[in-house]
Amino acid sequence: MSEEILCTIKDGIATVTLNRPEKRNALNTAVLEGLKSNLRQLEANTDVRVVVLRGEGKSFCSGLDLRELSSHQSGAGDPETGVTQIFQQIERSRHPTIAMVQGDALAGGMRTGAAL
């Protein structure tokens, strides 16, 4: 499990935290994989009734990590595919999912909060 994603469960409420405050919780590969893994585990957990997604620090999420994105520009495929897959995973979930948007929600980060 990535340190860039924190997950706690208390009283049936799973709180999933984007934990890259120094990067304004930008979505890099590790964050996307961590979200995918945590959401999969939460889906199978019968003790969980609701999922809350939040960002650590002053920003909710600033969207895709542009530094990582620029290093992968020569690669094939759409860079937003990982984000789209996360949205689809949330949409198919049996859990209501709440975006606890505090602070900045920029670019794809605003899309993430609005999608929930």
Side-chain angles (χ1 to χ4, degrees):
M1 205 86 45
S2 171
E3 293 178 7
E4 294 178 322
I5 298 293
L6 305 175
C7 184
T8 60
I9 301 170
K10 182 177 179 185
D11 299 327
I13 301 169
T15 302
V16 178
T17 304
L18 305 176
N19 190 34
R20 293 185 76 207
E22 73 286 352
K23 298 290 185 181
R24 299 170 82 181
N25 298 315
L27 303 171
N28 65 3
T29 301
V31 169
L32 293 172
E33 289 301 317
L35 280 171
K36 187 186 314 181
S37 174
N38 275 279
L39 292 171
R40 188 178 318 115
Q41 291 175 19
L42 293 173
E43 188 66 20
N45 187 331
T46 57
D47 294 332
V48 174
R49 295 187 328 264
V50 65
V51 175
V52 176
L53 179 63
R54 64 178 299 273
E56 183 64 40
K58 296 181 180 182
S59 296
F60 172 69
C61 180
S62 61
L64 287 173
D65 185 324
L66 298 179
R67 186 164 304 203
E68 183 181 271
L69 182 63
S70 68
S71 70
H72 297 335
Q73 283 295 339
S74 60
D78 183 357
E80 291 190 16
T81 298
V83 177
T84 302
Q85 290 172 343
I86 296 297
F87 291 158
Q88 291 170 344
Q89 191 174 358
I90 291 169
E91 289 171 359
R92 290 189 304 264
S93 175
R94 64 183 179 83
H95 301 112
T97 305
I98 300 166
M100 190 173 103
V101 179
Q102 82 293 347
D104 297 332
L106 307 169
M110 182 164 52
R111 187 173 142 203
T112 303
L116 302 178

